[in-house]
Amino acid sequence: MRSQYETVVGYRPLPTVRRIAPVPSGSAPATAADHSSSEKGNRLDHPDQRTLRLGASLRAADDRRSTSTRPHPDGGSEELAQARTCFLVDEPVEPGVVREPILASWTRSRHYDVAADRLELGLESEFSLDSLLTRAAGPIIREVADQLTSEPVSLILTDADAVVLDRRSGDGSLTRQLDRIALAPGFSYAERHVGTNGIGTALEGRGPAQVFGHEHYAEHLEDLACAGVPVRHPVSSKVLGVVDLTCWRRDANMMMVAIASSVAKRIEEVLLEQSGRRELTLLHDYLTACQRGRGAVFAMSDDLLMMNDRARELLDPADQGPLLAEAGEALAAGRRHQLMIDLPSGHTARVQCRPSWSDGDRGGGVVQVQIIANGTTQTSRSVAAAAPSLPAAVGSGPLWAKCCQAVDRHFRAREWLVLEGEAGTGKTTIARATHQGRTPAAHLRVFDADQYGPRWVAEIAEELESGDGGTLVLTHLERLDAAAVQALADALEPHRESTDPERPWIVATVTPGRGGADLRELLAHFPSTVEVPPLRHHVEDVTELVPYLIARLTRGADLSCSAEAMRVLMRNRWPGNVEQLYQVLRKVVARRRTGVVASADLPPECRATTRRVLTPLEAIECDAIVDALIDTDGNKAEAARHLGMSRATIYRKIRGYGISMPSLT
C-alpha cells in the first residue's frame, strides 16, 4: 500500500511539507485546479511546497541515488562505539572515525562534566508554554505532525535553553522510548545536561546538527538518531529554539535535517510577519509622540531602539542603560506607567511609559523622559547640575550610585528614612556622607542601639526638641528589646508629622530579618525605606574601595595593590561586606606598610573565591541558592524544590558559582 507521501529526489532547495488530502475510494484523482482554492485559504502553505516521505520509501530512494545527499554515518557501527569508548577513557581516537562536529561536542560534554553512563535530568520550572515562539510555531508543528503521523519519527520543539516545549509522534514504541529517556516537555536536552544530541548540539553550534546512534555522548541514546535546526528571530537573529526530528537509528536518513530546516524556515516566516505588524505600530506611536512634544522620546522593544535628538542631548550614554532597563520592565506589563528613576549621573528622571504592544513578559512602546533636579524640570544636559558626590561613600557602580542618589533625594525632601541592609554594607556611611555633602556645617549625631541606657532615649528627645535641625542617625535598631523600642517610638511620635523646617532629618539603620512586630511598628514612623546593597552585588566597587581603605589605614603611605591581588579580592564573596574588606586590609597593612600588595600577602580567608566575578543578578541568584541550602541542611533536591528549579539546574548552578558548604555535609 502506497503512503500518502511521495519522495522528491534531486530537488535542491530545502524541501517543505504540506498535507495532501486523501482521495476517497472510487473517486477520480484530484487535479491541481481542484486544490487551488484550498491552498489559497491556508496561509501556512506555499506554492512551491514539495511532499516528502520519511521511513522505508525515503531510505529506499537514498539507496537508489548516486549523486545526492551523502549517506549518514553508521551510528551503530562497532568502530564508532569503540571510538566513543576510547574518548571516554582518554585514549586516542582513530582519525576519520568520528565526525569533527561530534568530536567537538564530545569535548564540550566532558568539559561540562556530563555523566556518560546515565542520564541526569530534572524537570525544569523556568519555561513558558505561552511565548512568541510557541504561538508562531504551534499551527505549523501541528500541521507537520499530522503529515508525519504514520511515520516512525517524533517532531520536537524546544526553547533556547533546549527545554522541550512540544513533542508529537504517531509511533507508540518511539514515544515510550522518549518518555524513558525524558525527551519530553519540561526537560532540557542542552549539552550541559545530556551531552551530544541533536537539540543541544544545534544550540551550541548555532546551526543544523545531526547525531546518529553511538555519536550520542550519553548511554541510552545509542538506539536513536536526531536532527535539530535552530529557529532564529528574523529581525534580531536571536536563537529562540530548535526544531528537532528524532527517530530510531535504523530509520534515520540525512533528509531529516532538510525537513527540520523547512519547518524552522516556516516558523521564521510567521515570526517575521508578526514582527512587521508590531514594529509598524511602534513606529507610528513613536512618530506621534515626537510630533506632539519637544521632549526626549524613546521607542523600544526587544530588538529595536529609537531616540530623537532631544533624548541624545538630554541623557548621557551611562544614564540611558539604567533608564531603559526600568522602562522596559514597565512596558512589558502592558499598562501605562509613570516612573521616577535615579540615574548614575545624579539626575532624577520622570518617565512616562506608553505600551504599543505586549506579549507575556515582553513588550514594546514609547518612553518620554523629563530630567528633574531640585524640583525643576531640566531641558538640556548642560543645564542640569549633577548631585554632589558623597565624599565618604566610595564607589561608582550602578547599584551603589542608585542607592546614594535615593538617600540624597530623601534628605532634600527632609523625609525620615530607614536604611536596610546586611551588616557592614555602609548604611551609616551613606547617612553621614549625605549629611556632609549637603550640609557640612550642620549638626550630626549618631545614636547606636548597643549603647542603650537610661539617657539614650532622653538625649534623642532633647535633639528633636532643640529645633537645631541637623541629622540624627539611629543605628542597629533591631538590637533593641521590646521596652526600648516602645520608649523610642513614644519619643518620635510627637515629631513624626511635624512641618517645622528645622525638624532634624532622622535615619534609622536595620539588618533585615531581625526584630519582631514591635520593631515593625516603630519603623512605620518612617515613610520610606532604601535597601543598601551588599558588596557582592556591586563588587566592581572593590577597585575603588581598596586604594581608599589602604590610604586610610596607612595615612597616605606609599602602599598599593597589585593587579593579581585585586583579582583575588574581586572574586571573593565578602559575606561581611565592606567591613570585612576593611579588616582584611588591616591585616595586610599590619605586615606590609609600603610597596605593592601581592596575592601572597592576603590572609587565608581571601582564598574562598568564586570562579569568576559575578554580575549583580548572578550574585542575587547565588545568594538565594546558598540560603536555600542552609534552610534545607544542605539537601540539594529539597533546596531545588524550594527555589522552584530542577535538580539538574541547581547542581549546574552550584558548580558554576563554585558554591561549597562543607559544614552541611
Side-chain angles (χ1 to χ4, degrees):
M1 179 178 177
R2 285 178 57 84
S3 168
Q4 60 175 324
Y5 305 105
E6 62 184 31
T7 304
V8 177
V9 180
Y11 180 63
R12 292 185 179 179
L14 290 178
T16 54
V17 182
R18 67 185 174 96
R19 190 172 186 175
I20 307 299
V23 179
S25 176
S27 300
T31 65
D34 295 328
H35 292 292
S36 61
S37 60
S38 64
E39 288 180 357
K40 290 179 181 177
N42 185 356
R43 69 180 180 86
L44 297 175
D45 288 339
H46 298 278
D48 64 340
Q49 285 181 320
R50 300 295 188 268
T51 58
L52 296 171
R53 181 184 173 209
L54 290 175
S57 63
L58 184 53
R59 294 192 298 275
D62 275 348
D63 292 338
R64 294 194 301 269
R65 287 191 298 216
S66 60
T67 59
S68 59
T69 308
R70 65 177 179 84
H72 66 79
D74 185 1
S77 72
E78 289 296 329
E79 189 179 23
L80 180 58
Q82 182 61 35
R84 175 180 173 275
T85 301
C86 290
F87 180 86
L88 294 177
V89 297
D90 289 329
E91 292 182 1
V93 176
E94 184 178 345
V97 176
V98 183
R99 294 184 291 144
E100 287 299 324
I102 299 301
L103 196 56
S105 177
W106 286 358
T107 303
R108 290 194 299 269
S109 303
R110 183 160 59 188
H111 174 73
Y112 287 136
D113 294 327
V114 175
D117 58 344
R118 63 190 182 278
L119 293 173
E120 295 182 342
L121 290 170
L123 186 65
E124 298 283 341
S125 61
E126 301 174 2
F127 72 99
S128 174
L129 293 175
D130 182 23
S131 65
L132 179 66
L133 174 64
T134 55
R135 284 192 288 274
I140 299 170
I141 294 294
R142 289 192 291 271
E143 179 195 1
V144 176
D146 286 345
Q147 298 171 27
L148 300 176
T149 189
S150 62
E151 305 294 346
V153 66
S154 177
L155 178 62
I156 297 170
L157 177 72
T158 79
D159 64 13
D161 293 322
V163 176
V164 177
L165 304 175
D166 197 357
R167 186 196 72 189
R168 295 173 184 265
S169 176
D171 187 289
S173 63
L174 179 61
T175 299
R176 288 189 291 274
Q177 175 64 11
L178 298 183
D179 286 340
R180 281 192 288 270
I181 62 173
L183 184 48
F187 292 89
S188 173
Y189 255 66
E191 274 194 357
R192 61 182 178 271
H193 297 321
V194 296
T196 306
N197 71 93
I199 295 169
T201 303
L203 286 170
E204 290 287 344
R206 318 292 284 182
Q210 304 167 84
V211 182
F212 302 94
H214 289 292
E215 290 182 334
H216 290 94
Y217 185 82
E219 290 183 9
H220 310 296
L221 303 179
E222 62 271 10
D223 291 331
L224 299 173
C226 48
V229 176
V231 178
R232 299 178 184 274
H233 193 284
V235 177
S236 66
S237 295
K238 178 183 178 182
V239 173
L240 303 179
V242 168
V243 171
D244 173 81
L245 286 176
T246 295
C247 67
W248 296 109
R249 184 182 68 207
R250 62 179 178 270
D251 297 323
N253 190 279
M254 294 297 290
M255 288 297 289
M256 291 168 60
V257 75
I259 297 172
S261 296
S262 172
V263 176
K265 182 178 180 182
R266 292 178 62 187
I267 295 171
E268 290 172 355
E269 289 172 353
V270 176
L271 289 168
L272 179 60
E273 180 184 350
Q274 293 176 349
S275 297
R277 289 196 300 266
R278 289 171 173 167
E279 304 312 330
L280 284 174
T281 301
L282 180 57
L283 178 61
H284 175 269
D285 292 348
Y286 169 70
L287 294 175
T288 300
C290 290
Q291 292 167 0
R292 288 180 177 175
R294 297 182 178 181
V297 180
F298 294 86
M300 60 181 298
S301 65
D302 282 350
D303 43 41
L304 176 68
L305 175 64
M306 296 183 288
M307 70 178 80
N308 62 0
D309 290 340
R310 179 60 66 185
R312 257 187 298 272
E313 295 171 1
L314 193 64
L315 290 162
D316 289 315
D319 287 343
Q320 293 175 15
L323 185 147
L324 294 176
E326 294 199 34
E329 293 179 5
L331 290 172
R335 301 187 305 274
R336 291 192 175 196
H337 283 271
Q338 177 171 302
L339 307 174
M340 297 293 289
I341 301 176
D342 295 313
L343 302 175
S345 64
H347 302 155
T348 299
R350 179 186 292 128
V351 180
Q352 298 282 350
C353 301
R354 295 183 173 86
S356 298
W357 62 269
S358 63
D359 179 13
D361 58 351
R362 303 167 60 251
V366 173
V367 177
Q368 294 178 281
V369 181
Q370 290 180 317
I371 297 299
I372 308 298
N374 296 322
T376 62
T377 301
Q378 303 299 327
T379 57
S380 74
R381 202 160 55 206
S382 61
V383 175
S389 60
L390 305 182
V394 177
S396 57
L399 277 179
W400 182 254
K402 184 176 180 179
C403 174
C404 293
Q405 291 153 18
V407 175
D408 184 71
R409 187 174 69 246
H410 288 294
F411 176 89
R412 288 186 274 113
R414 308 301 289 176
E415 292 178 349
W416 289 5
L417 180 66
V418 175
L419 292 179
E420 183 180 69
E422 297 177 9
T425 52
K427 300 182 289 293
T428 304
T429 297
I430 290 181
R432 285 179 178 274
T434 302
H435 170 88
Q436 294 167 0
R438 288 290 182 180
T439 55
H443 182 59
L444 170 68
R445 281 199 67 179
V446 177
F447 290 88
D448 192 334
D450 287 337
Q451 299 171 352
Y452 177 78
R455 287 289 304 161
W456 194 79
V457 174
E459 290 182 12
I460 293 175
E462 290 172 4
E463 291 286 347
L464 288 168
E465 293 168 2
S466 66
D468 292 337
T471 298
L472 302 183
V473 182
L474 314 179
T475 64
H476 307 126
L477 294 190
E478 73 279 357
R479 300 176 185 175
L480 294 175
D481 59 27
V485 167
Q486 185 58 52
L488 178 59
D490 293 341
L492 295 177
E493 178 60 31
H495 306 275
R496 182 162 62 101
E497 298 182 359
S498 171
T499 58
D500 185 353
E502 296 301 321
R503 182 186 71 157
W505 182 52
I506 299 184
V507 178
T509 75
V510 295
T511 300
R514 300 183 185 179
D518 49 349
L519 178 62
R520 290 193 294 273
E521 185 177 345
L522 169 64
L523 298 181
H525 289 75
F526 298 79
S528 300
T529 299
V530 171
E531 183 177 350
V532 181
L535 181 56
R536 61 187 171 276
H537 292 177
H538 60 108
V539 72
E540 65 273 21
D541 288 333
V542 168
T543 57
E544 297 180 44
L545 284 164
V546 168
Y548 172 79
L549 294 175
I550 287 177
R552 277 183 54 185
L553 289 165
T554 61
R555 298 182 181 179
D558 187 16
L559 179 64
S560 61
C561 184
S562 70
E564 181 185 9
M566 186 67 77
R567 282 193 294 270
V568 173
L569 294 173
M570 288 191 68
R571 290 193 177 100
N572 202 288
R573 293 286 297 157
W574 298 117
N577 297 295
V578 180
E579 177 61 26
Q580 182 188 4
L581 176 61
Y582 177 77
Q583 296 301 330
V584 164
L585 295 176
R586 274 188 66 181
K587 295 175 184 177
V588 172
V589 170
R591 295 191 299 269
R592 177 184 289 276
R593 300 291 299 183
T594 60
V596 178
V597 176
S599 59
D601 296 320
L602 300 176
E605 64 191 271
C606 294
R607 303 301 173 185
T609 62
T610 59
R611 297 179 182 178
R612 56 186 172 84
V613 177
L614 302 182
T615 67
L617 185 59
E618 288 174 330
I620 293 170
E621 182 179 58
C622 184
D623 285 352
I625 293 173
V626 171
D627 289 342
L629 289 169
I630 292 173
D631 292 341
T632 60
D633 295 329
N635 187 320
K636 298 182 179 67
E638 189 67 14
R641 190 181 68 80
H642 285 186
L643 293 169
M645 63 176 61
S646 69
R647 284 185 298 172
T649 298
I650 198 170
Y651 277 107
R652 183 177 75 252
K653 291 184 180 295
I654 287 172
R655 288 196 303 268
Y657 292 143
I659 298 172
S660 61
M661 307 185 71
S663 61
L664 299 179
T665 58

